[in-house]
Amino acid sequence: MRHLIDILDLSVEEIAELMDVASDIIENPGSYSEACRGKKLATLFFEPSTRTRLSFEAAMYELGGHVIGFSEAQSSSASKGESVADTAKVISCYADIIAMRHPKEGAPLVAAMNASIPVINAGDGGHNHPTQTLADLFTIRREKGRLDHLTVGLCGDLKFGRTVHSLITALSRYEGLRFVLISPEELKLPSYVKKEVLKARDIPYVQTTDLEGSLPELDILYMTRVQRERFFNEEDYLRLKDSYILTKDRLRDAREDLSILHPLPRVNEISVAIDDDPRACYFKQVLYGKYMRMALILKLLKEAGRL
Ligand code: CP
């Protein structure tokens, strides 16, 4: 059974194929409107979400399928003590594919080990968020026409930001990538990502606290929110939450062809005045995420012999 738990579960070639399918869906939506007729997606969200859950649901509806599920742990039998393993076995009796978000790192992997249908990790703790990465990669390819030979700045909470960990891992497989890691000292990229991804693949990177000074060299700026829900104390969060706020003034020295991405939700990191700037890509990124999730659902259902 094929699942998507980590972005490395997909080869570079498979990701390119998913992007080609997503592009075709954009061009020919009618050809896909019955593709999942009679199939059911279960969205098991043990943690809050707007984009990921609703884009999975929109994706399945646009493929002609159905959606069942829950949006908080309290409304599921997890609140009575049911395990993730048992939940996965039970949902396998009702649905054809699962998208799961969970606050515990590794929970979707446990679900995959116990389910008899494909499981997609829709975000696990501060660990991974592979379908956000599919959205990010597709946005970069649509904006830049390539995924190689880019200088990518990642700014904000690089410690707890699971989208950052998945994106660096994914981009590390393309030629000529260089990373500028912009964060407060306390929110630096975890050592395991540096060791297992950047150092292991000999990928050039710099760590800095300086956003403005880094901007002129960037092709991509990936802003992130400080992840309040992962902090152990509120005081630290309040001290660090506004470390970086991208304003029109701060963009003065950025390149004309810079692409600004953000996985959203945004809190304060990007001034709303930038939303109309042609370099702002974060709402397009949301839409591209839905198309990539459609392509992914099709792929996993086909490989499971359910289409
Ligand atoms: N980008 C993202 O994961 O957003 P949600 O938390 O709203 O799903």
Side-chain angles (χ1 to χ4, degrees):
M1 182 62 61
R2 195 82 193 275
H3 308 280
L4 177 62
I5 303 302
D6 186 300
I7 194 65
L8 295 180
D9 293 340
L10 293 167
S11 67
V12 167
E13 293 73 25
E14 286 178 309
I15 290 174
E17 282 162 20
L18 287 173
M19 291 194 226
D20 291 343
V21 173
S23 298
D24 194 50
I25 294 171
I26 292 170
E27 298 297 321
N28 306 293
S31 312
Y32 294 86
S33 60
E34 296 289 324
C36 286
R37 193 185 166 94
K39 302 299 165 195
K40 278 173 277 177
L41 164 73
T43 51
L44 312 184
F45 277 61
F46 296 86
E47 208 184 46
S49 167
T50 295
R51 270 147 300 276
T52 311
R53 184 171 66 84
L54 296 181
S55 70
F56 264 116
E57 296 190 2
M60 195 51 163
Y61 285 125
E62 288 184 32
L63 291 168
H66 304 279
V67 180
I68 58 173
F70 51 83
S71 57
E72 53 180 350
Q74 274 312 105
S75 64
S76 78
S77 285
S79 63
K80 302 174 208 161
E82 187 164 49
S83 68
V84 166
D86 281 0
T87 303
K89 285 179 186 159
V90 169
I91 301 300
S92 298
C93 302
Y94 305 145
D96 297 283
I97 187 164
I98 291 171
M100 175 185 281
R101 171 170 290 189
H102 202 287
K104 282 201 183 139
E105 301 182 358
L109 176 62
V110 172
M113 290 162 68
N114 288 278
S116 53
I117 57 177
V119 174
I120 301 169
N121 178 3
D124 61 329
H127 195 213
N128 281 315
H129 194 347
T131 63
Q132 178 64 48
T133 304
L134 292 177
D136 301 341
L137 295 176
F138 192 40
T139 306
I140 295 171
R141 194 177 89 165
R142 301 272 299 188
E143 292 298 312
K144 296 285 175 221
R146 65 184 196 282
L147 287 164
D148 52 14
H149 297 94
L150 294 166
T151 298
V152 179
L154 299 112
C155 178
D157 184 350
L158 308 189
K159 179 178 180 183
F160 296 118
R162 59 193 172 196
T163 64
V164 167
H165 309 159
S166 287
L167 182 59
I168 290 175
T169 304
L171 284 173
S172 70
R173 294 189 291 182
Y174 299 87
E175 288 284 311
L177 263 286
R178 184 172 169 270
F179 292 102
V180 181
L181 307 173
I182 308 154
S183 74
E185 279 298 318
E186 294 95 324
L187 298 178
K188 280 160 80 171
L189 191 72
S191 322
Y192 82 88
V193 183
K194 277 183 269 184
K195 184 167 169 243
E196 292 170 19
V197 181
L198 298 175
K199 289 179 185 161
R201 291 174 184 261
D202 212 11
I203 294 166
Y205 70 93
V206 291
Q207 295 189 103
T208 176
T209 55
D210 181 11
L211 171 59
E212 266 173 279
S214 304
L215 273 172
E217 61 177 322
L218 303 182
D219 298 300
I220 306 286
L221 172 62
Y222 193 88
M223 293 295 292
T224 62
R225 142 186 98 87
V226 174
Q227 305 262 310
R228 179 181 209 153
E229 63 275 33
R230 317 254 178 250
F231 274 73
F232 291 112
N233 75 69
E234 184 74 358
E235 243 172 63
D236 284 348
Y237 169 72
L238 293 174
R239 185 169 49 81
L240 293 168
K241 73 183 174 69
D242 290 329
S243 297
Y244 300 101
I245 300 177
L246 191 65
T247 58
K248 281 211 164 200
D249 191 43
R250 292 207 168 108
L251 270 181
R252 202 180 38 236
D253 296 328
R255 293 180 20 190
E256 284 303 309
D257 64 349
L258 173 72
S259 297
I260 305 167
L261 278 68
H262 190 312
L264 305 181
R266 157 177 63 184
V267 183
N268 266 337
E269 314 77 54
I270 303 180
S271 156
V272 291
I274 291 176
D275 294 358
D276 294 331
D277 189 299
R279 292 169 286 191
C281 299
Y282 30 92
F283 291 113
K284 285 190 253 183
Q285 197 179 345
V286 170
L287 188 57
Y288 293 147
K290 181 186 71 174
Y291 294 119
M292 285 303 276
R293 290 182 176 108
M294 289 171 80
L296 178 66
I297 290 169
L298 285 170
K299 177 181 175 63
L300 293 181
L301 285 179
K302 274 185 197 151
E303 292 192 17
R306 287 179 175 259
L307 280 186

